[in-house]
Amino acid sequence: KNEIKFEEELDLSNQNTIDKLKEADKYIKIDKVGTIEVDTTAIPSLSKKAKLTMHKLVGYVAPPGILVDGKADTNNVVGKVTLNKETGSASFSVAHFTTFTAVPEIVLLSPTTTTLSSTKDLVFKARVSDAKAKVTGSFNGKELANLKPDEKTGEFTLTKLEVKEGKNELKLQATSELGKVTPLVAGISYNPNG
């Protein structure tokens, strides 16, 4: 099971809250790998700061991304995510409760700039946090083949890409055993005149 440790005092003086906590399994979902959900509409007193730990994230070599209600966290609800590779456990703090889902995250390691003046020896290097995830993608609309992450690091390289003058677009996505997908879209401009 996943874990929830509240970091603020909970007000359990309300009889409605007490009654609903007697049926906690209806409102607090911590059994599913990669997901923690608390129904704060039913039990509003549980919408507090907490530290969450998701267990059994097998295959992760870097911290996963965490979706908030199935979407990217644009409101900084989730704090820094840490991963214990040996146990497959990811921990993070949350500002309040909703549904949190672990997903593979793709990071572009190189090039580190979005503007290029030379394509000589150009190699794109990326890392997916779940080394067992299936990675697919395209570059300027052309499908990329054989994107196989290293099993220990999650890193993979893209070579022999046809870079055109002006804007180029790299799209990568990863699907984990949990069935979740997080896309990476990177725009890279090529200006051979500097």
Side-chain angles (χ1 to χ4, degrees):
K1 285 188 175 184
N2 298 317
E3 296 176 37
I4 300 171
K5 291 184 181 173
F6 289 97
E7 295 179 335
E8 295 180 311
E9 190 173 302
L10 300 177
D11 179 5
L12 302 178
S13 63
N14 180 309
Q15 187 60 46
N16 184 43
T17 299
I18 294 168
D19 291 341
K20 288 192 174 166
L21 286 174
K22 290 177 184 175
E23 301 177 295
D25 288 350
K26 280 185 177 179
Y27 308 105
I28 302 169
K29 312 276 187 198
I30 59 173
D31 292 334
K32 187 177 177 184
V33 174
T35 301
I36 294 177
E37 178 181 357
V38 175
D39 183 350
T40 56
T41 302
I43 312 176
S45 61
L46 296 183
S47 191
K48 301 285 186 180
K49 290 180 182 179
K51 182 175 182 180
L52 309 184
T53 302
M54 293 180 175
H55 298 290
K56 298 183 181 177
L57 297 177
V58 179
Y60 278 83
V61 295
I66 302 295
L67 300 182
V68 178
D69 290 330
K71 298 177 184 161
D73 180 16
T74 57
N75 295 321
N76 297 319
V77 174
V78 177
K80 182 181 179 190
V81 181
T82 59
L83 176 72
N84 181 325
K85 292 180 198 176
E86 291 179 19
T87 64
S89 299
S91 297
F92 53 97
S93 293
V94 296
H96 61 78
F97 264 100
T98 189
T99 301
F100 300 98
T101 310
V103 293
E105 187 169 68
I106 301 174
V107 177
L108 186 61
L109 302 174
S110 69
T112 56
T113 180
T114 58
T115 305
L116 306 172
S117 59
S118 171
T119 59
K120 186 177 191 282
D121 302 321
L122 178 63
V123 174
F124 286 86
K125 189 173 186 178
R127 180 185 69 223
V128 61
S129 58
D130 180 354
K132 293 183 178 184
K134 179 182 178 188
V135 179
T136 58
S138 65
F139 187 73
N140 291 333
K142 291 184 181 179
E143 190 174 321
L144 300 171
N146 301 324
L147 301 178
K148 182 85 173 111
D150 180 271
E151 291 181 14
K152 291 184 178 157
T153 65
E155 294 180 4
F156 57 97
T157 57
L158 307 167
T159 58
K160 300 179 184 173
L161 299 178
E162 292 181 31
V163 179
K164 63 182 182 184
E165 190 169 341
K167 186 174 180 179
N168 295 269
E169 185 174 68
L170 173 66
K171 291 183 180 181
L172 298 170
Q173 61 184 2
T175 305
S176 75
E177 289 180 4
L178 302 175
K180 313 297 188 297
V181 177
T182 298
L184 167 84
V185 178
I188 292 122
S189 295
Y190 172 51
N191 181 358
N193 301 321

